[in-house]
Amino acid sequence: MTSHGRRRLLFVAIVTGLMTVGLVLNQGSDSAATPSSAGAASPDPVLPSWNDGAARTAILSFVDRVTRAGGRGFVPPPARIAVFDNDGTLWSEQPMYAQLAFVIDRVRAAAPSHPDWAARQPFKAAIEGDLGTLAASGERGLLELVMATHAGSTTEEFERIVTDWIAGARHPKTGRPYTEMVYQPMLELLAFLRANGFKTFVVSGGGIEFMRPWAERVYGIPPEQVIGSSIRTKYEVRDNAPVLLRMPDMDFIDDKDGKPVGIHRHIGRRPIAAFGNSDGDFQMLEWTTTGEGSRLAMLVHHDDGEREVAYDRHSPFGRLARGLDEAASRGWVVASITRDWRTVFPATTPK
Amino acid sequence: MTSHGRRRLLFVAIVTGLMTVGLVLNQGSDSAATPSSAGAASPDPVLPSWNDGAARTAILSFVDRVTRAGGRGFVPPPARIAVFDNDGTLWSEQPMYAQLAFVIDRVRAAAPSHPDWAARQPFKAAIEGDLGTLAASGERGLLELVMATHAGSTTEEFERIVTDWIAGARHPKTGRPYTEMVYQPMLELLAFLRANGFKTFVVSGGGIEFMRPWAERVYGIPPEQVIGSSIRTKYEVRDNAPVLLRMPDMDFIDDKDGKPVGIHRHIGRRPIAAFGNSDGDFQMLEWTTTGEGSRLAMLVHHDDGEREVAYDRHSPFGRLARGLDEAASRGWVVASITRDWRTVFPATTPK
């Protein structure tokens, strides 16, 4: 993909995100720790937030297979690589990507030092929360916002900015910190896989440096196991103190057919388990399940308008169409939030 | 750095490498498992191939400091990141980079399907082992060789090619497999750090996919902890079987000021220990030791013409000048192979 093509992909994603905000704000809200009406299985120490059903059974049987020494499906621990999409798979992506809220907040925070922004688009629209005008500013406008908010700092400054933001920001519908808008069943799945010798990775279209500062605390995934989209950095020594400067150039877009590329770049071997929720994850699941030996792929299907938000093939944001069409023939598990998840969000802040 | 600039850097490195082959072939050879004449310390279960001395003491005291719970120098295990250069630090880089021998062998292996190469430069020179003509072919000629040997295959095909080559290739001076031309004291250091909760990474100017196929077996370092130079890959589905195609474009040069960039890209936090041997590692050691808290940086000094090859500031290949000049003022340890290593190469194949 050309550099232009990559930029285009990024901004198409952001624009469609913006355009969907209005649609999704009207949809159902979450409810924390409310048992699903469907399936009231007895408590179980393994994956307690998953109801008994096809999805939970598929996970348990896969893990049993790969860990059974001497069995035909056995996979030695170093090859037990599991990859997880982030937005919509590990945490909420509605009513908009958390990173989009971050971009808007960053523009607002920087506005006092940029008095011209009050009258200059697309900054004016971001400051005023005018999503329609933002979307209308197109790729060029959004490129300007992303580069104004994500580049120009050192990597350590940016890490502090993200850390401070994630501590104070609140989800617009629930008022909870974004780090509490994570899916309890997926937290349990991450821990269960790790307890069985798996190494767990995040593989997200979102910014790698937007996730690393909190992924270890929230998901138990260290920075070196976070893969995402990135901008270029440059090493520079300032008064004997070296820094890595964040440059206004895209380096890599970790989405769609970029996901297997990012996985290969960072991990260097094919995962044996992949978890996603949208067609942006299709190639990651395809790459995972076309390898030899034991494989597991799962799509989280957002079908619960009561406890979360119901969206799939008609949502331009986190759209899931091809995945639903081909899951059965490819042997991919579709986990229904309504049926398969006893709990959606954790009752309290993950430690 | 521009794409052109990156390419230039790579080929400057290869050209200087080629030009040095002649020089270095005349220098001293290795001898396996021969005790150093200097320092005859009693056997010790920790780092047995290191003689008692400043280098060994610096390692032991650093590890004691970072692992002592409650101490001022304590570093929690997730932050115990140690990075190692490869060529000249973990294995021999003389009389030429193993990867350069690989390029030449690959041209020879492919020559029968390219009858025109017998009369066409720079392929003719590679086939004939005419290093002078190869060097004279310049960047353009060497680019042609690298892309002819490293691109055009899928990632899985390339992995098999490297695996087969490394199993059969022999070091031109010693006749041993390249995977036995590794430094026994450094193998012990890798294991010692891991036993103390460190995560060990290779950070090399060499090709990432040239190292990954054997780094786990030889160094105990899994593919996801290998960082190196890379070419671009592209995801493509062929008859329902996806592949990652290796494209004839440089993606990243992991050398000099590229090393901190590669470290940040892959690891996302600053290492606390770094090991190198040339000025190509300078910025990696600088980046490591300018962080806060306990830090260790070490340069392996190739000063043993009897048991290995003596080279440093006048070698255009693995050149070490600035590092020697600034090590003392920066608190970096210089490990002398003559004085500090009881053994250079392992007596037998590492498991």
Side-chain angles (χ1 to χ4, degrees):
Chain A
M1 189 183 297
T2 63
S3 154
H4 173 76
R6 290 181 174 190
R7 270 193 201 141
R8 190 160 183 288
L9 187 61
L10 174 67
F11 296 106
V12 167
I14 294 182
V15 172
T16 51
L18 284 169
M19 292 190 303
T20 320
V21 173
L23 297 175
V24 179
L25 280 168
N26 299 324
Q27 300 188 6
S29 172
D30 70 306
S31 76
T34 309
S36 164
S37 54
S42 59
D44 188 314
V46 173
L47 302 179
S49 298
W50 290 75
N51 288 317
D52 280 338
R56 184 170 180 280
T57 300
I59 296 166
L60 296 180
S61 118
F62 169 74
V63 170
D64 180 67
R65 205 156 63 244
V66 304
T67 55
R68 190 178 293 274
R72 287 179 58 187
F74 179 76
V75 176
R80 292 182 200 159
I81 302 289
V83 288
F84 291 79
D85 169 57
N86 186 38
D87 296 304
T89 298
L90 293 180
W91 77 352
S92 166
E93 63 185 350
Q94 304 289 3
M96 62 175 146
Y97 291 137
Q99 195 170 358
L100 184 58
F102 172 71
V103 166
I104 292 172
D105 283 357
R106 288 304 303 156
V107 169
R108 289 174 177 164
S113 347
H114 298 271
D116 59 309
W117 285 0
R120 185 173 143 215
Q121 294 297 11
F123 298 95
K124 182 169 184 285
I127 293 164
E128 294 170 353
D130 175 359
L131 300 177
T133 303
L134 267 185
S137 75
E139 290 179 21
R140 178 187 296 256
L142 291 163
L143 175 64
E144 218 174 330
L145 290 185
V146 168
M147 292 308 167
T149 52
H150 282 60
S153 51
T154 70
T155 53
E156 289 179 352
E157 287 163 357
F158 191 74
E159 182 181 340
R160 279 193 298 273
I161 289 167
V162 171
T163 301
D164 291 348
W165 184 83
I166 205 88
R170 294 294 179 268
H171 187 271
K173 295 288 288 180
T174 67
R176 301 181 74 177
Y178 285 98
T179 48
E180 292 183 13
M181 298 301 295
V182 295
Y183 302 126
Q184 177 64 27
M186 299 305 283
L187 298 181
E188 294 168 6
L189 177 56
L190 285 167
F192 177 62
L193 290 175
R194 288 194 293 260
N196 282 281
F198 281 77
K199 212 165 185 175
T200 53
F201 290 80
V202 169
V203 179
S204 170
I208 189 169
E209 301 309 340
F210 179 72
M211 298 180 286
R212 281 173 160 169
W214 49 266
E216 190 156 29
R217 173 174 58 87
V218 177
Y219 299 145
I221 296 180
E224 64 268 26
Q225 287 162 224
V226 174
I227 303 172
S229 298
S230 55
I231 63 177
R232 204 163 60 80
T233 65
K234 185 185 159 196
Y235 188 74
E236 197 174 282
V237 180
R238 297 172 164 179
D239 301 326
N240 293 318
V243 295
L244 287 167
L245 275 179
R246 292 173 56 81
M247 309 300 290
D249 297 312
M250 285 308 300
D251 178 49
F252 182 66
I253 302 289
D254 190 53
D255 196 30
K256 299 188 174 68
D257 56 3
K259 289 203 174 192
V261 170
I263 286 169
H264 186 72
R265 176 196 270 211
H266 283 261
I267 307 178
R269 53 182 147 203
R270 207 187 282 223
I272 64 166
F275 304 86
N277 78 297
S278 82
D279 285 348
D281 305 316
F282 191 92
Q283 287 85 353
M284 175 169 84
L285 270 62
E286 179 179 58
W287 177 239
T288 299
T289 53
T290 49
E292 283 167 20
S294 302
R295 305 279 154 168
L296 175 67
M298 180 176 287
L299 289 166
V300 173
H301 187 200
H302 293 270
D303 59 359
D304 192 327
E306 247 181 78
R307 295 183 300 163
E308 205 223 1
V309 182
Y311 62 100
D312 52 35
R313 37 180 97 238
H314 301 298
S315 171
F317 197 52
R319 179 169 184 266
L320 177 64
R322 187 177 174 198
L324 285 178
D325 293 340
E326 301 190 18
S329 66
R330 288 177 178 265
W332 298 353
V333 178
V334 177
S336 151
I337 293 183
T338 305
R339 286 194 319 274
D340 291 312
W341 287 4
R342 179 190 305 273
T343 301
V344 177
F345 297 107
T348 55
T349 313
K351 61 153 176 84
Chain B
M1 190 182 297
T2 63
S3 157
H4 173 74
R6 290 182 175 189
R7 266 191 205 144
R8 191 163 181 285
L9 188 62
L10 174 66
F11 296 106
V12 167
I14 293 182
V15 172
T16 52
L18 284 169
M19 291 189 304
T20 318
V21 173
L23 296 176
V24 180
L25 280 168
N26 299 324
Q27 299 187 7
S29 171
D30 72 306
S31 76
T34 309
S36 166
S37 55
S42 60
D44 189 315
V46 173
L47 303 178
S49 299
W50 291 75
N51 289 316
D52 280 339
R56 184 171 180 278
T57 300
I59 296 166
L60 296 180
S61 119
F62 168 75
V63 170
D64 180 65
R65 203 156 64 245
V66 305
T67 55
R68 191 177 293 274
R72 287 181 57 190
F74 179 76
V75 177
R80 293 183 200 158
I81 302 289
V83 289
F84 291 79
D85 169 58
N86 186 37
D87 296 304
T89 299
L90 293 180
W91 76 353
S92 166
E93 63 186 350
Q94 304 290 2
M96 62 175 146
Y97 292 137
Q99 195 171 357
L100 184 58
F102 172 72
V103 166
I104 292 172
D105 283 356
R106 288 305 301 156
V107 169
R108 289 174 177 164
S113 346
H114 299 270
D116 58 310
W117 285 1
R120 184 175 144 213
Q121 294 297 9
F123 297 95
K124 182 169 182 287
I127 292 164
E128 294 170 354
D130 175 358
L131 300 177
T133 304
L134 267 185
S137 75
E139 290 180 20
R140 179 188 294 256
L142 292 163
L143 175 63
E144 218 175 330
L145 290 185
V146 168
M147 292 310 168
T149 53
H150 283 61
S153 51
T154 70
T155 53
E156 289 178 352
E157 286 163 357
F158 191 74
E159 182 181 341
R160 277 193 298 273
I161 290 167
V162 172
T163 301
D164 290 349
W165 184 84
I166 206 86
R170 293 295 178 269
H171 187 271
K173 295 287 289 178
T174 66
R176 301 181 74 177
Y178 285 98
T179 48
E180 292 182 14
M181 298 301 296
V182 296
Y183 301 126
Q184 178 64 26
M186 299 304 284
L187 297 182
E188 293 168 7
L189 177 55
L190 284 167
F192 176 62
L193 290 175
R194 288 194 292 260
N196 282 281
F198 281 77
K199 212 166 185 175
T200 53
F201 290 80
V202 169
V203 179
S204 171
I208 189 169
E209 301 309 340
F210 179 72
M211 299 180 286
R212 280 173 160 170
W214 48 268
E216 189 157 28
R217 173 173 57 87
V218 176
Y219 299 145
I221 296 180
E224 62 269 26
Q225 287 161 225
V226 175
I227 304 172
S229 298
S230 56
I231 62 177
R232 206 163 58 80
T233 65
K234 185 186 160 196
Y235 187 75
E236 196 175 282
V237 181
R238 299 171 162 179
D239 301 327
N240 292 319
V243 294
L244 286 167
L245 275 180
R246 290 173 58 81
M247 309 300 289
D249 298 312
M250 284 308 300
D251 178 48
F252 183 65
I253 301 290
D254 190 53
D255 196 29
K256 299 189 174 68
D257 56 1
K259 288 203 174 191
V261 171
I263 287 169
H264 186 72
R265 176 196 268 210
H266 282 262
I267 306 178
R269 55 182 147 204
R270 208 188 281 225
I272 65 165
F275 304 87
N277 77 297
S278 82
D279 285 347
D281 305 315
F282 191 92
Q283 287 85 352
M284 175 169 82
L285 270 61
E286 179 180 56
W287 177 240
T288 298
T289 54
T290 49
E292 284 168 19
S294 302
R295 304 280 155 168
L296 175 67
M298 181 176 287
L299 288 165
V300 173
H301 187 199
H302 292 271
D303 58 359
D304 192 326
E306 246 180 79
R307 296 183 300 163
E308 203 223 3
V309 183
Y311 63 100
D312 51 34
R313 38 181 96 238
H314 301 299
S315 172
F317 198 53
R319 179 170 185 263
L320 177 64
R322 187 178 175 198
L324 286 178
D325 293 340
E326 300 190 21
S329 66
R330 288 177 179 265
W332 299 353
V333 179
V334 176
S336 152
I337 293 184
T338 304
R339 286 195 318 275
D340 291 312
W341 288 4
R342 180 190 305 274
T343 300
V344 177
F345 297 107
T348 55
T349 313
K351 63 153 175 87

